[in-house]
Amino acid sequence: MMNIPFIITLVIVTFLLLLGIMFRMGKGADLISGYSLMSKEKKSLYDEKKLTTYSSYVSYSLIILFIVWYLFSRQGSYINIYGMGFFIIIYTCIVNVIIIKMSKKH
């Protein structure tokens, strides 16, 4: 019998790992929430390398969250999927705001 939670976690972790590697290489800035909607003039105020580097850290930290979530669920600890989803959404939004603020050129 296939372990569906493991497969789902593996797919998400693989996607986040590839995204993190792409960001770490300085590519994919247009995939970052908020940055892709800015005008060229506003984008020039940000250091794109810093922005993608910080975003790679977010991807890596989300990988850790998903692995911990999976390990807890394997031990019988029930973590509500809606609670975890809400936490991940809030975490990502807050971190995106911090990334945008930290990536401003001075």
Side-chain angles (χ1 to χ4, degrees):
M1 184 173 175
M2 295 175 55
N3 188 350
I4 301 298
F6 175 74
I7 293 171
I8 292 171
T9 303
L10 186 64
V11 168
I12 292 171
V13 165
T14 303
F15 172 74
L16 288 171
L17 182 63
L18 293 174
L19 194 62
I21 291 169
M22 183 178 67
F23 284 147
R24 190 70 179 147
M25 292 172 34
K27 303 198 182 315
D30 284 335
L31 296 174
I32 299 170
S33 172
Y35 185 74
S36 61
L37 300 174
M38 291 181 185
S39 65
K40 288 188 179 194
E41 295 81 30
K42 262 194 145 175
K43 283 183 180 181
S44 67
L45 300 174
Y46 294 91
D47 184 349
E48 198 169 287
K49 181 65 178 164
K50 272 186 180 179
L51 191 64
T52 54
T53 300
Y54 290 138
S55 295
S56 71
Y57 298 149
V58 172
S59 293
Y60 299 144
S61 64
L62 284 172
I63 288 171
I64 293 168
L65 281 175
F66 273 102
I67 291 172
V68 167
W69 182 33
Y70 174 74
L71 292 175
F72 275 125
S73 69
R74 292 284 298 164
Q75 293 179 356
S77 299
Y78 179 72
I79 298 176
N80 188 339
I81 191 165
Y82 299 113
M84 186 63 172
F86 178 75
F87 175 75
I88 289 173
I89 290 170
I90 296 299
Y91 171 81
T92 306
C93 290
I94 291 170
V95 170
N96 275 342
V97 169
I98 293 169
I99 287 172
I100 295 289
K101 296 289 184 195
M102 291 177 69
S103 299
K104 274 218 175 204
K105 289 182 181 174
H106 298 287

